[in-house]
Amino acid sequence: MGTHLRKLYPVVTALLLTVGNSLPALAQSSLDEKLQALQDAEPAEATRLTREIEREWSQSGSTSLDMLLRRGRDALEEQKPDIAIEHLTALIDHAPDFAEGWHARATAFYMKDLYGPAISDLEKALTLNPDNYNAMFGLGVMFQEFGDNVRAERAFQQVLDLHPHHENATKALEQLKAQGIGRTL
């Protein structure tokens, strides 16, 4: 019996490695499906999908890194951008490919009126995750503040292309159209 089990060991190991290595692909596939479903979702379903998508975006794969993100976001909610920047910079230092860390730190920089670093972090977040409609919305807000309403309108429209029920992007686009931006004759 022992010899039989020893012969199965490489087979079981290979099977476990195959399944284990396919989990990130399955997670990405699931995320892609949710983003696609968001396109045609009814409002209630869009709310549920949004929560699920953003929860996945917030998972780095490490509990300690997730804790840094949580601490950074808590500091943002408490209007303490300096503390948020410290936590989020530590997160980015340890996980430079984690898009949500860049996005959250951009928010902290924006709160401190540090627009250059905020834009740089948003660009990095969007490079890592081009589907991050919240980072795209943040870019649109900054364009609007700079008076670049044409680029703001484009950014808000891209948000709505990704997430048709994004309330803030809808309101921002309506506001720009009321000012004459994006209307056709």
Side-chain angles (χ1 to χ4, degrees):
M1 186 82 152
T3 305
H4 181 66
L5 288 176
R6 274 190 294 241
K7 289 180 181 178
L8 284 178
Y9 181 76
V11 173
V12 171
T13 301
L15 181 62
L16 288 174
L17 285 173
T18 302
V19 170
N21 289 337
S22 66
L23 290 178
L26 288 173
Q28 184 59 44
S29 173
S30 171
L31 184 58
D32 290 342
E33 289 170 7
K34 289 174 186 171
L35 285 163
Q36 186 61 45
L38 190 57
Q39 300 293 308
D40 302 316
E42 295 296 321
E45 179 69 2
T47 300
R48 182 188 65 78
L49 287 167
T50 299
R51 275 194 310 268
E52 290 178 14
I53 290 166
E54 292 174 8
R55 185 178 317 120
E56 285 189 47
W57 285 344
S58 296
Q59 294 174 351
S60 68
S62 161
T63 49
S64 59
L65 296 177
D66 291 348
M67 180 188 66
L68 285 171
L69 179 62
R70 202 169 32 259
R71 285 183 178 174
R73 286 179 170 167
D74 290 346
L76 287 172
E77 285 181 26
E78 295 169 8
Q79 302 294 312
K80 297 178 180 177
D82 290 322
I83 294 171
I85 290 169
E86 287 179 27
H87 289 301
L88 297 167
T89 298
L91 169 62
I92 290 166
D93 287 347
H94 289 85
D97 293 333
F98 183 44
E100 199 56 28
W102 294 95
H103 174 230
R105 191 174 74 171
T107 303
F109 283 140
Y110 176 79
M111 288 175 71
K112 289 187 55 76
D113 297 329
L114 297 172
Y115 298 127
I119 287 176
S120 178
D121 279 7
L122 286 173
E123 288 175 347
K124 183 66 175 180
L126 288 165
T127 298
L128 294 168
N129 180 5
D131 294 323
N132 190 328
Y133 43 79
N134 291 323
M136 182 62 64
F137 177 76
L139 205 53
V141 168
M142 293 187 72
F143 287 146
Q144 192 173 18
E145 282 194 23
F146 299 152
D148 190 346
N149 291 336
V150 172
R151 286 174 71 186
E153 187 250 344
R154 257 185 280 165
F156 296 142
Q157 189 55 59
Q158 285 180 326
V159 171
L160 293 174
D161 289 346
L162 293 166
H163 184 337
H165 296 284
H166 196 285
E167 288 181 36
N168 291 332
T170 301
K171 289 176 187 173
L173 202 53
E174 288 171 0
Q175 180 185 24
L176 285 175
K177 287 184 179 180
Q179 297 172 6
I181 307 298
R183 284 193 294 188
T184 56
L185 297 175

